[in-house]
Amino acid sequence: MSDQEMPEDPFGILSPEELMEIQEKYRKQKLKESLIGPVISTAMHVLLIFAASFFKGETKEANAQVEITQQIEEVVEEPPPPPPPPPPPEEPDLETEVDTVNPEVTETVDVEDVATEVEEVSDEPPAAEIMDDVEMMSDVKPSTSPMQSAKMFSARSPNAKSAALRKYGGSKAAQQSLLKALDWLAKNQRPDGSWGNSGTTGLALLAYLAHGETPKSQRYGKTVGKAIQWLASSSPGANLVYSPNLEVEERIAGIKNVTQEDLGFFAAGPAQGTGDVRVAHGYPHAIKVYALAEAYTMTGNYSIERPLKAFANILIKGQKNEGDFDYNYKKGPRWDNSISFWNYQAIKALKATGLDFEGLDAAVEKSIPRMKLMAKYHFPYSGTSKPTKGRGNAGLAAAGALCLQLLGAAKGDSNVDNIMDRIHKESIPQMDWANSPKKWTMYAWYYQTFAMFQHGGKHWRDWNNAFQKVLMKNQHPEGYWSHELAWGAGKNIESKAYQTSLAALMLTVYYRYLPSTSVKKTKPKSDAQKKKEKEAAAGEEAIDIF
């Protein structure tokens, strides 16, 4: 068949142009189909990722709330109290004749160590630098009284200690002796946190606090913390202290409620009393309050407040109407200056906390006039009527003078000045370890060291030159002191801890307390200041701890 006979495109064959056009449309369709799937998939993934991220953010918020809850629970939860200590050894009874001097009655007392290399001494009060390594209470109230001022402890920071040592004649060798004593006490602390009875434990704790140590300290922190814990929650009587409402059953920091019958030692109760009130005539209870009050002021630990207030309540209620104290807080005619001194120091420490204690202001008001009367007779040991003659020994006289100094009532008192002259004349020549004239050597030296420092001037310079050398020379190589004429004669760990604590306290005299005269009296408040304070009292409390 010829070309002419072939029909025109009998099978519908397209021309090249038409075929090209169809192919182009086909490619576009395929391209479109190939793109729709990934685009839709991508969009879905984006939506899923967005939704997942939103869901994850909600989960984080929920977790944050859980973590906060856990943290709060940890803060509220308190550690369990340590196991109760073994019963303290029975203390010897002391004589109570009128004008009989036996200050060693204070079964548990601390004295500060001594330095041999004495540097230049100044009559000026130590630098009042704010403590930089001790937490202070945020609610300490301002005060014009030396015993209440937060500056009272301000020289215990490292920098201020160095300045005070240079200024007041504390040698580096003596401070090394002090550290050896603190190391020995730490090594010989019982597992429960005590060193025997509450008096010895309180004195040891006071020595660490005087050195500026707290539970946060690197070297002695655990030692201090265990001592505070034991005094607050495991010492004798800690489980017998009551709250204002005897009906309520609760337990806080080892304190539980008891019936009123268990507290019969109040107001001339039975001589044996309860808890620390019946131990060693009640000396340990007074020293325990003293130590816990300083611990609270230096740490601001709220868990100390409740037991402190309970123990302080016993002390304040145990004061006699005349202003002094007797053994076991009895309210008979007998008075006893030796035990009164520890209670006066505890009252001073309670005032320094800034806390409110029922009856504390009245206790101070009664204490000072009574001490002023006793100062006329150089603080006789004990009696049953108002003193009219005689005089106490130089150790008791120094103790009474120191209490007046700490309460801000010694300046300008001629009787206190006479006592300081007497100590300067009599006691410095008698400062002989091997030939001490009395059996209460460490007790007397403790009070005399602090009283002379507070008095200042030549009296302090001469005393400082003597006492550091004696203590340094007679410290045992292991770090403790053991005088055969002091309480317990150094025959056991508790007796050695007692003497070592007193010696250690003596060696902190340069920075433990600022002299009372160094705390400036504030000017009378103006009407504008009074108005401002009144307005602040109606809203938030105005706080000025310095």
Side-chain angles (χ1 to χ4, degrees):
M1 182 179 295
S2 63
D3 292 341
Q4 285 84 3
E5 295 177 354
M6 288 288 297
E8 184 177 353
D9 195 16
F11 302 105
I13 297 174
L14 301 176
S15 65
E17 290 79 12
E18 290 175 330
L19 183 60
M20 289 289 293
E21 182 179 354
I22 291 172
Q23 289 177 343
E24 183 68 19
K25 289 180 181 180
Y26 178 81
R27 283 195 301 270
K28 289 180 180 181
Q29 181 67 25
K30 285 294 183 182
L31 180 61
K32 183 178 179 181
E33 291 176 356
S34 63
L35 289 176
I36 289 176
V39 169
I40 293 175
S41 176
T42 302
M44 290 298 294
H45 279 79
V46 170
L47 290 174
L48 288 172
I49 292 172
F50 178 76
S53 63
F54 180 76
F55 179 80
K56 190 175 180 180
E58 290 294 316
T59 303
K60 282 185 176 179
E61 187 173 352
N63 287 342
Q65 293 177 352
V66 172
E67 291 174 2
I68 291 172
T69 302
Q70 292 173 344
Q71 188 174 0
I72 291 173
E73 289 174 356
E74 289 175 2
V75 173
V76 173
E77 183 180 358
E78 296 186 7
E90 196 166 341
E91 309 291 348
D93 292 333
L94 302 168
E95 299 180 1
T96 59
E97 288 82 357
V98 177
D99 292 338
T100 300
V101 179
N102 188 0
E104 201 59 41
V105 165
T106 60
E107 317 246 339
T108 43
V109 187
D110 280 323
V111 184
E112 304 177 315
D113 299 17
V114 201
T116 51
E117 303 170 3
V118 180
E119 302 175 7
E120 184 179 357
V121 181
S122 169
D123 295 339
E124 297 299 321
E129 297 182 23
I130 299 174
M131 302 175 70
D132 56 32
D133 64 338
V134 176
E135 289 185 4
M136 300 295 292
M137 283 300 296
S138 61
D139 61 347
V140 175
K141 298 177 175 62
S143 169
T144 59
S145 168
M147 66 180 173
Q148 250 181 301
S149 174
K151 288 184 178 180
M152 188 171 161
F153 298 154
S154 64
R156 298 185 186 186
S157 68
N159 292 337
K161 280 195 296 186
S162 298
L165 286 167
R166 289 192 300 269
K167 197 168 189 178
Y168 292 96
S171 73
K172 293 180 180 179
Q175 292 305 296
Q176 288 300 315
S177 178
L178 169 59
L179 291 176
K180 285 177 61 179
L182 296 179
D183 286 343
W184 183 87
L185 286 170
K187 181 179 178 181
N188 288 276
Q189 185 182 34
R190 293 181 179 180
D192 60 26
S194 73
W195 284 269
N197 66 35
S198 297
T200 302
T201 302
L203 290 172
L205 175 58
L206 284 169
Y208 284 106
L209 296 172
H211 193 249
E213 308 297 337
T214 72
K216 293 185 177 181
S217 300
Q218 183 175 1
R219 185 166 179 172
Y220 302 115
K222 290 183 179 179
T223 301
V224 174
K226 288 169 62 179
I228 294 173
Q229 179 70 18
W230 185 84
L231 286 174
S233 61
S234 298
S235 61
N239 63 334
L240 296 175
V241 179
Y242 70 97
S243 67
N245 184 359
L246 291 174
E247 317 284 325
V248 178
E249 289 295 333
E250 59 181 350
R251 186 176 181 85
I252 299 179
I255 304 303
K256 69 180 181 183
N257 299 329
V258 295
T259 63
Q260 191 66 44
E261 287 74 20
D262 292 325
L263 303 167
F265 58 84
F266 283 126
Q272 62 269 30
T274 324
D276 272 328
V277 175
R278 67 186 175 94
V279 177
H281 305 301
Y283 284 95
H285 183 83
I287 298 172
K288 174 166 66 178
V289 173
Y290 187 3
L292 285 176
E294 284 210 3
Y296 178 85
T297 303
M298 289 186 63
T299 67
N301 188 330
Y302 72 91
S303 66
I304 300 175
E305 181 178 347
R306 182 178 176 88
L308 173 60
K309 284 192 171 183
F311 297 142
N313 188 43
I314 296 173
L315 185 152
I316 294 169
K317 286 186 176 182
Q319 186 181 31
K320 296 166 55 185
N321 291 333
E322 295 83 358
D324 52 50
F325 295 82
D326 190 16
Y327 287 166
N328 309 108
Y329 297 102
K330 292 182 290 187
K331 297 292 185 70
R334 183 181 184 274
W335 49 265
D336 187 290
N337 275 323
S338 181
I339 195 159
S340 293
F341 296 145
W342 289 109
N343 285 283
Y344 292 146
Q345 291 173 86
I347 287 173
K348 174 272 304 180
L350 290 173
K351 290 291 290 183
T353 65
L355 295 172
D356 292 325
F357 296 91
E358 183 179 356
L360 182 58
D361 290 337
V364 175
E365 292 174 1
K366 289 190 295 185
S367 299
I368 293 177
R370 187 64 170 177
M371 283 192 286
K372 290 279 189 179
L373 170 64
M374 294 292 179
K376 295 180 181 179
Y377 308 98
H378 288 208
F379 296 91
Y381 174 54
S382 66
T384 56
S385 61
K386 184 177 179 179
T388 57
K389 60 181 180 180
R391 72 173 187 172
N393 64 51
L396 289 170
L402 174 63
C403 290
L404 283 171
Q405 290 166 338
L406 293 177
L407 292 173
K411 188 176 181 180
D413 190 311
S414 60
N415 293 316
V416 173
D417 292 338
N418 290 337
I419 290 173
M420 293 297 100
D421 291 340
R422 176 189 175 188
I423 296 171
H424 186 262
K425 181 180 179 180
E426 295 180 9
S427 298
I428 294 179
Q430 294 177 350
M431 192 175 289
D432 186 333
W433 185 272
N435 299 295
S436 177
K438 299 289 183 180
K439 74 172 187 176
W440 36 267
T441 298
M442 300 296 276
Y443 171 95
W445 287 354
Y446 165 77
Y447 280 122
Q448 290 169 343
T449 297
F450 279 93
M452 294 292 262
F453 176 75
Q454 291 287 323
H455 191 71
K458 188 177 189 302
H459 290 68
W460 164 244
R461 291 196 300 272
D462 293 345
W463 180 268
N464 186 47
N465 288 337
F467 98 92
Q468 289 191 91
K469 296 175 183 177
V470 171
L471 287 185
M472 286 283 294
K473 182 179 179 181
N474 293 281
Q475 185 181 26
H476 190 276
E478 292 182 11
Y480 64 84
W481 280 266
S482 179
H483 198 294
E484 62 180 4
L485 295 182
W487 174 75
K491 293 180 180 179
N492 54 40
I493 293 297
E494 186 175 12
S495 174
K496 292 175 182 176
Y498 159 80
Q499 295 192 42
T500 302
S501 298
L502 287 175
L505 282 167
M506 289 173 67
L507 291 179
T508 68
V509 66
Y510 311 96
Y511 44 79
R512 185 186 182 194
Y513 299 134
L514 292 176
S516 301
T517 54
S518 71
V519 181
K520 298 179 180 179
K521 299 276 186 178
T522 57
K523 297 178 181 179
K525 297 178 181 178
S526 64
D527 292 338
Q529 286 177 310
K530 292 178 180 178
K531 182 180 179 181
K532 184 178 180 181
E533 289 182 0
K534 187 175 181 180
E535 291 174 350
E540 292 188 0
E541 181 181 3
I543 298 174
D544 179 10
I545 66 172
F546 301 108

